[in-house]
Amino acid sequence: MKTVKNTFILFGLICLTNLNAQLTDLARLEYSFIPSSKSEDQYTRLRALLNYPIKIKNDNYLIIGAEYNRVLLNLEEEYPFDTSVIDALNIIDLNIGYTFKANENWRIGLKVNPRIASTLNGKITKDDLFVNGGVFFINDRTDAEDIKRPYRLVLGVTYNTTTGIPFPLPFVNYFRRINKNWSFSAGVPKSNLKYYFTESSVLQAFAAVDGYFANLQEPLSVNGQIANNISLSVIVGGLGYEYCFTKHLVAYLYSGYTFRLNNILRNDDRDEVFRLNQRNAFYLRTGIKFKI
């Protein structure tokens, strides 16, 4: 049961964390930081994303893009292995998507994401390569004027080779604008409740999951076992603020606290070998994005 639980957590982190960005963001620059007041360890992530839509015909689009995440692990506590091997992780995605309108209300989206997730201490090998993908059905009525409470519903299935589950898994996200000042979004990787001071100034309470999974090109020997992979799972809640310079250009700042923080070295079977610092801590994420 523990292995199953960890597998589904990794699915949520690896496959769903970037899904919303891949569907709606054309460009994004982001900085995340998790310090710890009770530890010398720190976690930092730098993220850049660029998607370019190419109109094929009518409302059909081919989307080509890429995303780069660099995770910096500043491990200053005493560990029974050389921490310099995992001081930086690189996650590189190639985004290939296609979207078209099935009818007046529904749009279908297809995506394939070849991925490199590794310490990249040497040449890229097959162990550094992963493949993600998904099919999504989107009913976007957020601009509808014939309904009292506009909404957006996304249904889909996703497949990710890093989860260890050899079959597709479901995805659901639901957004509703309650009235002029309030909206909510329910789903994974993020749920929130938003308050609109104006259409350009928005405060929100949120809960989200975040994390990564990567290959170690230089395996670590830890207490008689060999670690070939590393994963981080984070569940965080807090407050966020967004400011819209235009309808499409948005700056944001999220601050909160991690309610679950698991940083784990794993073997080839993705079983746990060693747990790094697990202390919950302050969380900060800020950036700017250009969205559809």
Side-chain angles (χ1 to χ4, degrees):
M1 289 303 297
K2 184 177 180 181
T3 301
V4 172
K5 179 181 178 181
N6 286 336
T7 298
F8 275 90
I9 289 171
L10 286 176
F11 163 73
L13 297 173
I14 302 164
C15 199
L16 300 181
T17 298
N18 299 324
L19 178 59
N20 184 65
Q22 292 168 357
L23 290 175
T24 64
D25 290 358
L26 298 182
R28 179 192 287 250
L29 291 173
E30 184 177 278
Y31 170 84
S32 301
F33 182 54
I34 304 178
S36 179
S37 59
K38 299 180 180 180
S39 169
E40 296 181 6
D41 293 350
Q42 297 178 347
Y43 309 99
T44 302
R45 185 180 71 182
L46 307 174
R47 178 184 182 193
L49 175 146
L50 181 65
N51 286 323
Y52 184 75
I54 302 171
K55 189 172 184 178
I56 305 300
K57 62 178 181 179
N58 300 327
D59 289 322
N60 297 2
Y61 290 88
L62 175 68
I63 302 171
I64 303 295
E67 178 175 345
Y68 176 66
N69 287 265
R70 184 170 177 83
V71 180
L72 304 175
L73 301 179
N74 301 312
L75 303 178
E76 300 295 337
E77 291 193 359
E78 291 293 327
Y79 290 103
F81 55 87
D82 181 8
T83 59
S84 65
V85 174
I86 55 173
D87 59 1
L89 308 174
N90 300 276
I91 302 172
I92 306 168
D93 281 314
L94 175 63
N95 301 328
I96 305 171
Y98 184 72
T99 178
F100 62 93
K101 294 203 71 172
N103 54 46
E104 183 178 351
N105 294 324
W106 287 90
R107 173 174 290 276
I108 297 177
L110 311 170
K111 75 178 183 75
V112 177
N113 298 110
R115 166 176 289 183
I116 297 172
S118 171
T119 50
L120 292 183
N121 306 112
K123 293 182 179 179
I124 295 174
T125 70
K126 63 179 179 62
D127 293 327
D128 303 317
L129 304 177
F130 306 93
V131 178
N132 308 331
V135 181
F136 307 95
F137 302 86
I138 307 161
N139 184 0
D140 190 350
R141 303 296 308 281
T142 52
D143 294 326
E145 298 180 355
D146 59 334
I147 56 178
K148 184 177 180 180
R149 296 185 176 90
Y151 67 90
R152 178 177 58 250
L153 174 65
V154 182
L155 303 172
V157 290
T158 59
Y159 179 79
N160 190 293
T161 54
T162 59
T163 63
I165 302 177
F167 52 83
L169 293 171
F171 172 81
V172 179
N173 184 269
Y174 180 75
F175 166 84
R176 165 160 275 183
R177 186 69 180 262
I178 302 172
N179 54 38
K180 179 181 177 181
N181 296 110
W182 293 94
S183 74
F184 72 89
S185 178
V188 175
K190 181 179 178 181
S191 296
N192 61 44
L193 177 65
K194 290 186 176 182
Y195 178 80
Y196 298 78
F197 297 104
T198 67
E199 290 301 314
S200 299
S201 180
V202 184
L203 180 69
Q204 66 174 280
F206 72 92
V209 297
D210 203 350
Y212 57 74
F213 182 95
N215 178 56
L216 305 182
Q217 287 193 333
E218 297 180 11
L220 291 170
S221 176
V222 186
N223 299 331
Q225 300 185 71
I226 300 298
N228 305 88
N229 303 288
I230 183 172
S231 68
L232 171 71
S233 62
V234 178
I235 299 177
V236 61
L239 294 176
Y241 178 76
E242 297 180 354
Y243 184 80
C244 305
F245 298 102
T246 68
K247 181 179 179 181
H248 304 288
L249 184 62
V250 182
Y252 55 90
L253 173 66
Y254 300 114
S255 179
Y257 192 77
T258 62
F259 297 102
R260 174 193 173 94
L261 194 157
N262 281 343
N263 207 3
I264 300 175
L265 297 176
R266 300 178 181 274
N267 61 21
D268 265 338
D269 296 323
R270 294 173 190 165
D271 295 327
E272 180 180 318
V273 172
F274 186 85
R275 285 177 175 257
L276 303 177
N277 172 26
Q278 308 294 307
R279 299 181 183 94
N280 290 314
F282 170 77
Y283 172 95
L284 175 70
R285 182 162 65 94
T286 185
I288 189 167
K289 62 183 178 181
F290 188 82
K291 64 178 184 177
I292 297 174

